[in-house]
Amino acid sequence: MHLAEMAVLRAVPAAGVFLALTRRCPLSCAHCSTESAMDGAEHAERPFRRLVASFTRQERPEFIAMSGGEALLRPRLVRDLADSARLSGTRSYLLSGLYFARDGHAVPAALRAAISAVDHFAVSLDRFHEREVGRRAAFRVLHEIRSWGPRVSVQITGDGGADPYVADLVREVREEFADEVPMLVVPLRRVGRAKALDGPRAGPETPHATPAPCEMAAWPLVTYDGTVLTCCNDDLAAAARPPHLVLGHADQDPWPVLRRRHLERPLARAVRMFGPRYAKARFGSDAAAPGYCDVCVTLHRDRGLGERVAGYLDSPAGPAMEGAVRGLLERHGPYGFARRHGIARYSELVTLGWEGRER
Ligand code: SF4
Ligand code: SF4
């Protein structure tokens, strides 16, 4: 499965679901958005297994996207989830920091089995990761993984279109893999450990009178403990968990139930359609709070907001507006998400090596 196939559906609500399998990681990247470490939280496997087992041919996401922490600290779980998802037609994606590439040894058999089971294997590579795992070691393992079957990609974090480190890394990846390995290049965001670094806050800082749909509310996230959230912002997962963004728990609620809540809840729909600041300004009290996500996590406290949004969504204008916003978000195919959430200059790299590129 090519990275572009996921990018095409990234703005489609519930087309995918993120699974944060652990908060443990052997690496200590300075920009880690999940603040993962070897003493991080790790909970039971059961919620993840139950959720994926609840997929049916008729009701399932197109993709599961597994990450952590380092998901490959649970290789058996990764393999089983990929196999289980495939039974219903769902494809799997795995993001890793390649901790096992550090020492130059052969990839352990359990990790090889897990990686071979997924449809797409993505590796994080940037100036922070390179202090932990060298570029040449990462390339060597990626060559090896490509020979096992899964399609691969590189996820790069940088300081914007003018960052010379990113330009150099992109050039090397293109040369090393003869333009067959796609890349998603994203800006450093000040979340998790990166709060201590310079960089923009998560979420667009638009005037509240301007609609700014939130695509982070498109695919739900199953957090480390099995709680399922509308929002895939890891920072939120770790902290606020406001009730209007909590969909349920993977140990109790099957996918069809969680999906219905995700698609039908008025506040989630308003955040996807207008973004939180505009939704609050239009349907609630004026958006006085400064931050995009800061407003979002307090929407439930705005009395009557949910009812007014529901009234709008029940009127003919609501679904028409929802459809129009969806059309705008999806019109650039795989490039749209990479342009809006990545560094626009590198958005074309998401389709490197994709047979569907010319379509
Ligand atoms: S590899 Fe990923 S999860 Fe691990 S410390 Fe680095 S950024 Fe965090
Ligand atoms: S606006 Fe809300 S849904 Fe979107 S990323 Fe922020 S907290 Fe999550």
Side-chain angles (χ1 to χ4, degrees):
M1 175 182 78
H2 194 281
L3 179 67
E5 295 176 69
M6 292 181 76
V8 166
L9 297 181
R10 186 60 188 82
V12 177
V17 58
F18 292 101
L19 308 178
L21 300 184
T22 177
R23 217 160 177 202
R24 292 187 186 160
C25 182
L27 304 185
S28 312
C29 306
H31 69 324
C32 183
S33 64
T34 55
E35 301 191 59
S36 294
M38 270 320 274
D39 60 358
E42 187 167 280
H43 295 266
E45 295 182 352
R46 199 172 84 156
F48 302 103
R49 292 181 180 277
R50 289 186 75 140
L51 179 71
V52 175
S54 74
F55 298 169
T56 66
R57 286 254 159 213
Q58 293 71 35
E59 285 208 74
R60 61 176 175 83
E62 288 296 323
F63 312 105
I64 55 169
M66 295 178 277
S67 67
E70 174 54 68
L72 281 172
L73 289 177
R74 302 181 113 174
R76 184 64 193 250
L77 180 60
V78 168
R79 193 181 89 184
D80 290 351
L81 293 176
D83 289 345
S84 174
R86 191 169 290 119
L87 292 176
S88 60
T90 296
R91 292 177 290 171
S92 55
Y93 163 102
L94 171 65
L95 177 65
S96 169
L98 288 189
Y99 73 95
F100 50 90
R102 278 182 303 189
D103 55 14
H105 295 156
V107 180
L111 270 59
R112 178 176 174 148
I115 295 168
S116 301
V118 300
D119 295 292
H120 188 94
F121 181 80
V123 56
S124 299
L125 200 53
D126 47 56
R127 70 175 195 269
F128 304 101
H129 278 94
E130 273 209 71
R131 291 176 200 151
E132 311 273 327
V133 180
R135 190 179 302 188
R136 297 315 311 173
F139 285 176
R140 178 185 59 76
V141 170
L142 269 185
H143 279 296
E144 194 177 355
I145 290 170
R146 290 183 79 206
S147 73
W148 301 342
R151 301 293 289 266
V152 304
S153 64
V154 179
Q155 181 163 317
I156 298 171
T157 302
D159 283 331
D163 184 341
Y165 170 89
V166 171
D168 177 66
L169 179 55
V170 164
R171 182 188 52 75
E172 265 208 53
V173 173
R174 295 188 74 156
E175 281 176 15
E176 180 77 22
F177 298 99
D179 271 354
E180 290 179 353
V181 169
M183 286 168 263
L184 178 64
V185 186
V186 296
L188 177 67
R189 297 204 186 279
R190 200 151 46 93
V191 294
R193 279 205 281 272
K195 280 178 186 151
L197 307 168
D198 291 334
R201 292 169 63 89
E205 295 301 323
T206 53
H208 64 258
T210 307
C214 179
E215 287 172 80
M216 297 297 105
W219 293 10
L221 166 71
V222 184
T223 61
Y224 316 98
D225 65 3
T227 305
V228 187
L229 297 155
T230 287
C231 169
C232 67
N233 175 343
D234 289 311
D235 222 25
L236 176 81
R241 302 197 183 190
H244 62 294
L245 295 181
V246 176
L247 296 172
H249 198 282
D251 209 21
Q252 288 115 36
D253 303 308
W255 174 252
V257 171
L258 294 165
R259 178 178 176 274
R260 195 162 53 248
R261 289 176 186 158
H262 184 66
L263 297 182
E264 292 179 358
R265 284 196 178 165
L267 287 183
R269 289 171 70 184
V271 168
R272 283 195 288 268
M273 188 171 17
F274 294 128
R277 302 192 78 209
Y278 182 84
K280 187 172 167 72
R282 178 165 175 176
F283 299 104
S285 58
D286 193 46
Y292 187 79
C293 295
D294 298 332
V295 170
C296 187
V297 298
T298 60
L299 284 179
H300 61 293
R301 294 194 202 133
D302 198 329
R303 286 168 65 87
L305 172 64
E307 287 75 15
R308 283 191 287 278
V309 170
Y312 174 75
L313 290 168
D314 283 341
S315 74
M321 178 61 78
E322 226 172 3
V325 171
R326 279 272 304 273
L328 282 173
L329 294 177
E330 291 169 31
R331 74 182 161 161
H332 294 299
Y335 305 113
F337 184 79
R339 275 181 206 152
R340 290 187 297 272
H341 286 269
I343 297 176
R345 165 180 182 182
Y346 295 111
S347 59
E348 303 266 312
L349 301 178
V350 291
T351 56
L352 282 182
W354 188 36
E355 299 78 10
R357 189 180 169 96
E358 302 308 322
R359 284 206 296 267

